Amino acid sequence: MENKITQTGTAQMVIEGKSYDLPILKGSLGAPGVDVRSLYKQSGHFTFDPGYTSTCSTESQITFIDGGEGQLLYRGYDVEKLAEESNSLEVAYLLINGELPNAEEYKTFKQTITNHTMLHDQVESFFQGYRRDSHPMAMLTGTVGALSGFYHDDQHTTEDEARNLAIHRIIAKIPTLAARCYKYRVGQPHVFPQNNLSYAGNFLRMCFAVPAEEYVVNPIIERAMDKIFILHMDHEQNASTSTVRLAGSSGANPYACIAAGTACLWGPSHGGANEAALNMLKEIGTVDRIPEFIARAKDKSDPFRLMGFGHRVYKATDPRARVMRRTTHEVLGELGITNPVLEVAMELEKIATNEEYFVKRGLYPNVDFYSGIVLSALGFPTDMFTVLFALARTTGWISQWNEMLEDPSQRIGRPRQLYSGATLRDFVPMDKR
Ligand code: CMC
């Protein structure tokens, strides 16, 4: 990656009466940043920003979020447009390479991905080691990390060819692994990939086909699955992406880095929120109970939060939530499902987005608000939701990992701390304590 940020000015930071000049850096979009890299050397002071609310961890050219406008761009293209008009492999190519493929490039990329969809036969023994009732995210975290044992050479991360192989392998194998997690959980035999199907169609078949029957992919469901993949593919320097970058900054094996990202995504404040949002909507149950839950969300003495609401960056409706809302209607319409949970969701969105508490704090529906409803209509149990998120996000993670390794300014990530523990004291032998 060619570094493109430029210095547009100088900021003066005054610390205890002494002034320090710090460069102001600007990218192509978004707020400028004050370059504090030399601050410690110059002044002996750190900056303090737990949760990274004001800190850019890297320069990146992949994804941009305009939180105020509710816009998400992949390599400059609006995600809503990509979700409606492109497909997941084309978007994967875009994220990795920076440009949309022409017909020939797309054909070659698709062929390369389909060449790698199968798992090494021995991966199966990792699944056999899990309890049947293991959470599928536990299985995915473990088995994606286990791929590092099969493709050790891909860790020669400085070589383009090895890096490309790792990128193609992980994008190709993650649907097969994710589907295997589902099949293992429900006690059904592994369904092998079928390479004449689309990325989403193949995944649906690996999840829902059984050897005893023919499985025909429903094109509306396939399209919905593909849109879900596109919407979840990348999202700037979120917690799991930053985890992948941090793990990768030491030169670790790429599959181990993806396992680290998968583990981070699992938490309910991140990828686990769609499961939590659906559970919340089910718990609310009927529209007349919404005010009770809104009151709880506003009550600071109650830890309850409206799941699927709010975002660190978006202070308007998450654009992915808009596509999800439309997709939910399409899928439920196609399957002829009338789901009372959808009615609760739409009413909750209407009430909450007009309440002062939520408007003042910029809390609007995020991608997870509707995704649980549509995923459950597609036939996935709630504990698979985060697995589907991880499957899609793997493309973003590996693109970011690749960008980091191509960045000439890249160094191992090593945050500092403000230490507030005990100062130096003498060791006291046990019999004297
Ligand atoms: N319900 C009620 N109040 C909320 C909510 C919510 N969902 N989210 C934030 N707030 C309040 C919070 O109490 C705080 O109020 P105050 O200023 O009075 O103390 C204010 O809004 C700011 O919240 P914060 O926790 O400082 O915001 P954050 O940027 O640290 O957290 C968040 C972002 C997504 C973790 C949070 O909004 C949340 O917990 N939402 C619910 C979980 C969720 O839906 N997560 C999915 C995120 S989207 C998927 C992804 O991209 O990973």
Side-chain angles (χ1 to χ4, degrees):
M1 178 185 95
E2 186 197 338
N3 294 125
K4 287 188 179 161
I5 43 178
T6 51
Q7 182 171 350
T8 55
T10 308
Q12 267 90 41
M13 189 185 269
V14 180
I15 303 174
E16 291 167 348
K18 225 175 146 199
S19 172
Y20 301 93
D21 283 349
L22 300 168
I24 298 175
L25 303 178
K26 185 92 178 81
S28 50
L29 289 170
V34 178
D35 181 352
V36 294
R37 279 176 290 187
S38 65
L39 186 67
Y40 178 62
K41 223 179 217 168
Q42 283 193 65
S43 73
H45 287 76
F46 295 139
T47 55
F48 182 64
D49 185 17
Y52 302 104
T53 45
S54 298
T55 298
C56 306
S57 58
T58 186
E59 173 185 350
S60 182
Q61 293 159 12
I62 302 179
T63 299
F64 177 75
I65 302 171
D66 185 331
E69 291 297 318
Q71 190 181 51
L72 168 62
L73 306 179
Y74 290 167
R75 300 282 192 183
Y77 294 98
D78 192 312
V79 78
E80 287 193 69
K81 194 98 179 143
L82 290 172
E84 297 300 349
E85 294 182 22
S86 183
N87 69 64
S88 51
L89 279 188
E90 193 179 33
V91 177
Y93 184 99
L94 171 71
L95 287 176
I96 298 158
N97 299 292
E99 296 297 334
L100 286 166
N102 63 29
E104 196 52 38
E105 287 162 338
Y106 178 71
K107 195 173 152 215
T108 310
F109 182 68
K110 196 167 174 228
Q111 259 165 11
T112 311
I113 297 298
T114 49
N115 275 343
H116 289 290
T117 50
M118 283 179 61
L119 301 174
H120 189 291
D121 207 37
Q122 239 176 307
V123 173
E124 184 55 27
S125 37
F126 284 88
F127 280 101
Q128 300 304 326
Y130 280 99
R131 285 168 52 132
R132 285 276 172 193
D133 61 356
S134 301
H135 196 289
M137 277 300 277
M139 292 191 246
L140 190 71
T141 310
T143 53
V144 80
L147 293 182
S148 56
F150 292 85
Y151 307 111
H152 190 59
D153 287 347
D154 296 4
Q155 88 177 28
H156 298 306
T157 48
T158 47
E159 291 162 27
D160 282 0
E161 210 180 309
R163 268 214 320 272
N164 280 331
L165 193 55
I167 292 167
H168 296 145
R169 274 192 177 133
I170 193 67
I171 293 175
K173 290 183 198 305
I174 197 75
T176 318
L177 273 182
R180 185 68 193 109
C181 293
Y182 172 67
K183 285 301 203 192
Y184 188 77
R185 185 91 155 88
V186 295
Q188 290 180 3
H190 178 32
V191 174
F192 289 108
Q194 194 166 300
N195 288 348
N196 60 345
L197 295 176
S198 70
Y199 196 68
N202 176 46
F203 175 66
L204 287 167
R205 186 180 167 277
M206 287 191 290
C207 288
F208 299 124
V210 287
E213 275 176 29
E214 236 356 86
Y215 178 82
V216 181
V217 182
N218 175 327
I220 300 218
I221 304 301
E222 180 183 14
R223 191 69 200 109
M225 189 79 259
D226 209 47
K227 277 188 204 175
I228 292 168
F229 288 161
I230 293 170
L231 292 179
H232 288 85
M233 265 185 194
D234 201 45
H235 214 224
E236 287 191 351
Q237 307 309 317
N238 56 81
S240 58
T241 302
S242 299
T243 303
V244 170
R245 277 184 177 259
L246 194 55
S249 75
S250 71
N253 179 289
Y255 307 95
C257 297
I258 299 297
T262 310
C264 178
L265 186 76
W266 195 354
S269 296
H270 194 2
N274 50 13
E275 185 174 340
L278 183 64
N279 289 339
M280 176 195 76
L281 292 170
K282 282 183 180 160
E283 195 191 337
I284 298 174
T286 48
V287 290
D288 58 301
R289 293 194 66 207
I290 292 174
E292 180 196 323
F293 282 81
I294 296 260
R296 282 188 62 196
K298 287 161 45 179
D299 180 357
K300 292 291 167 202
S301 63
D302 187 332
F304 174 78
R305 282 185 168 201
L306 277 191
M307 297 314 284
F309 252 76
H311 199 275
R312 173 63 62 81
V313 185
Y314 294 115
K315 299 302 164 201
T317 296
D318 178 341
R320 303 168 301 170
R322 282 196 290 269
V323 181
M324 271 308 198
R325 196 195 296 119
R326 288 196 294 272
T327 308
T328 307
H329 285 288
E330 278 161 24
V331 167
L332 296 197
E334 168 68 13
L335 298 176
I337 297 174
T338 26
N339 188 343
V341 168
L342 179 59
E343 200 193 328
V344 173
M346 289 193 324
E347 192 58 25
L348 180 59
E349 179 181 358
K350 203 157 87 194
I351 296 175
T353 50
N354 286 302
E355 276 267 342
E356 200 210 336
Y357 173 94
F358 297 94
V359 175
K360 218 173 94 193
R361 290 170 178 77
L363 302 170
Y364 292 92
N366 61 50
V367 68
D368 294 319
F369 191 62
Y370 285 100
S371 64
I373 304 175
V374 66
L375 292 176
S376 123
L378 293 182
F380 291 103
T382 47
D383 60 9
M384 272 296 287
F385 293 176
T386 319
V387 170
L388 298 170
F389 192 161
L391 186 177
R393 187 55 62 83
T394 293
T395 298
W397 287 333
I398 205 72
S399 308
Q400 299 266 355
W401 169 84
N402 189 42
E403 180 181 67
M404 178 194 64
L405 294 172
E406 284 181 341
D407 182 346
S409 67
Q410 186 262 330
R411 301 171 75 185
I412 186 167
R414 205 313 185 176
R416 305 304 291 251
Q417 62 171 14
L418 284 184
Y419 177 71
S420 58
T423 52
L424 181 66
R425 47 186 169 163
D426 278 339
F427 174 76
V428 182
M430 203 177 281
D431 60 352
K432 300 248 169 60
R433 273 177 233 158

